[in-house]
Amino acid sequence: MAEEQLDWYAILGVERTATAKEITKAYRVKALKVHPDKNPDPNAAKVFHELSQAYDLLLDPAARAAFDNLLNVKVQAKARSDKYDVTRKRFMDDLKSREDAFKKQQQDEKAAAIRMKYEMERIKQEGIKKREAKEAELRRQVEEVEEAASAARQAARDEEATSLDATLRIKWKKKKHTFEPQELEAVFEKFGPIDSCLSMKPGSAVVSFKALTGAFAAMKAHEREALELEPFSVSWAAGIEPVLVANLRSKEKSQPATTPTTSTPPSSASTPKPAFNVASVGAPAFSAPAFGSVTSFAGFPSSIPGFRPPPTFSVAQDIPLVDDYEAATLARMKNKDNERKRLAEEILRLDQEEEERLSSKTDDNKKQRV
């Protein structure tokens, strides 16, 4: 037989005439006993749920009145049913059980479908939130790595640009002149701070400036045939002019500037400022040579596009570097002097081999003539 309608009064253990205060008191007493957190019984959750339903229904006046009316109808129906004969009562009970079973089945299926739909939607929303959070975190990490890698690559390019690009190859006739590295530094430091000066044999040397501006100033003075550079032949150590210098020359041609030609030193109030501002590119200031023609930088642009001074790295630097780029940059900084010396020695070695080849060729020609 189908399960009958629950008696909410019986569940709470109160009479039908109980007041709201009595119902609340009865609910609290039973709730402490059947709460799932305190009662290990597997059916505790079901009992507690029924208890809560009874409490909510009986405290609602409209719902309680409807339930009382239902109880009255049941009492009256029971009274009428008692009058029926046994056969009719058996048929009625069977029909009622079938109807109740069908209704219960429909309700259970509907409740299960609703519950499943709710759970699927909840899982879907949680998955979307987790995926969005993970994607945001991955994007943040990728951006940090890209920024660190870009900063490291830029630092490496700046460091590399200040090594060979700022190095000049110096030659002179060894039969007429003899220059020591200290003397060469004294001559070329007028154009900018010198990082190193290396001479492996007479007549040839390599001068490395700390900034590209110094090397460019020295090359400009040599092209103007400055008096202090008359004994020397100056060329770029890399064999070709740096791209940055080529850009500067192109800019000079497109925007020529006039150079003051007055022979007497002008007063401080009327002295024109050179167009080239060394401080704007982060390089140390340098003075004009004390002898010979005056070195003029009026044609030099006021700023060097794309040029950045070599960065100064420290342990407390704010730029976050990933391990690979940090290690590569620190290793390059650590071996900076050794790399420059190695390049200078390689350049001098190539010069010496070239001279030996030319000397050997000359001796062979002399022998053939004899």
Side-chain angles (χ1 to χ4, degrees), residues 160-211:
E160 185 176 354
T162 58
S163 58
L164 192 58
D165 288 352
T167 303
L168 298 178
R169 180 186 297 177
I170 312 299
K171 291 185 178 181
W172 64 90
K173 295 181 179 180
K174 58 184 178 181
K175 295 182 179 180
K176 293 184 179 181
H177 305 282
T178 301
F179 293 101
E180 296 295 332
Q182 295 80 3
E183 296 175 339
L184 294 174
E185 289 185 7
V187 173
F188 285 91
E189 68 181 358
K190 299 179 178 64
F191 303 102
I194 294 177
D195 188 30
S196 62
C197 180
L198 184 62
S199 177
M200 300 294 293
K201 63 175 185 177
S204 179
V206 173
V207 177
S208 179
F209 290 85
K210 291 185 177 180

Side-chain angles (χ1 to χ4, degrees), residues 329-340:
T329 303
L330 292 178
R332 184 179 287 106
M333 292 174 60
K334 183 177 180 181
N335 298 325
K336 176 181 176 182
D337 294 338
N338 295 334
E339 180 67 15
R340 288 186 175 180

Side-chain angles (χ1 to χ4, degrees), residues 141 143-157 308 311-333:
Q141 293 178 0
E143 290 175 358
E144 289 180 355
V145 171
E146 289 178 351
E147 290 177 359
S150 176
R153 286 194 297 268
Q154 185 62 41
R157 286 195 295 268
R308 293 175 55 190
T312 302
F313 291 88
S314 63
V315 178
Q317 189 174 4
D318 294 333
I319 300 177
L321 295 177
V322 291
D323 294 340
D324 293 341
Y325 289 102
E326 182 180 16
T329 303
L330 292 178
R332 184 179 287 106
M333 292 174 60

